[in-house]
């Protein structure tokens, strides 16, 4: 069983989401490195396997930034 939305406010879980996407991205990179058909000397078609990995890293970064903004927002109020 998987429990999503533990805090009943998803914005409080951005860091957890970011860590999960980051972990899966790192695992995907490790798997791609073991694939001899991927990369400079492999099949160009297999290079498309990099797109989901880039998406995972990009989305992870976006979620980390959102988490930082939410934590820092009260400190950045303009008077």
């Amino acid at each position: 069983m998987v429990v999503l939305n533990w805090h009943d406010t998803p914005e409080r879980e951005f860091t957890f989401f970011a860590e999960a996407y980051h972990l899966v991205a790192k695992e995907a990179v490790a798997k791609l490195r073991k694939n001899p058909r991927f990369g400079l000397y492999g099949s160009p078609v297999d290079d498309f396997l990099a797109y989901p990995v880039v998406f995972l890293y990009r989305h992870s970064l976006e979620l980390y930034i959102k988490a930082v903004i939410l934590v820092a927002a009260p400190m950045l109020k303009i008077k």
Side-chain angles (χ1 to χ4, degrees):
M1 180 175 182
V2 175
V3 177
L4 301 176
N5 198 9
W6 282 13
H7 297 106
D8 200 30
T9 51
E11 64 276 4
R12 291 183 58 204
E13 298 178 346
F14 281 151
T15 304
F16 299 121
F17 296 152
E19 289 174 358
Y21 276 97
H22 193 190
L23 175 65
V24 172
K26 290 190 290 186
E27 290 173 353
V29 167
K31 187 174 180 182
L32 285 177
R33 284 185 176 164
K34 293 178 183 177
N35 182 352
R37 294 177 43 177
F38 177 77
L40 187 59
Y41 302 107
S43 167
V45 174
D46 286 337
D47 287 350
F48 285 98
L49 296 173
Y51 281 100
V53 176
V54 171
F55 171 81
L56 291 170
Y57 274 115
R58 192 177 71 217
H59 195 53
S60 173
L61 178 61
E62 177 187 340
L63 291 167
Y64 278 126
I65 291 169
K66 285 180 179 181
V68 168
I69 289 171
L70 284 174
V71 169
M75 295 181 272
L76 299 174
K77 289 188 178 177
I78 298 175
K79 292 181 181 182

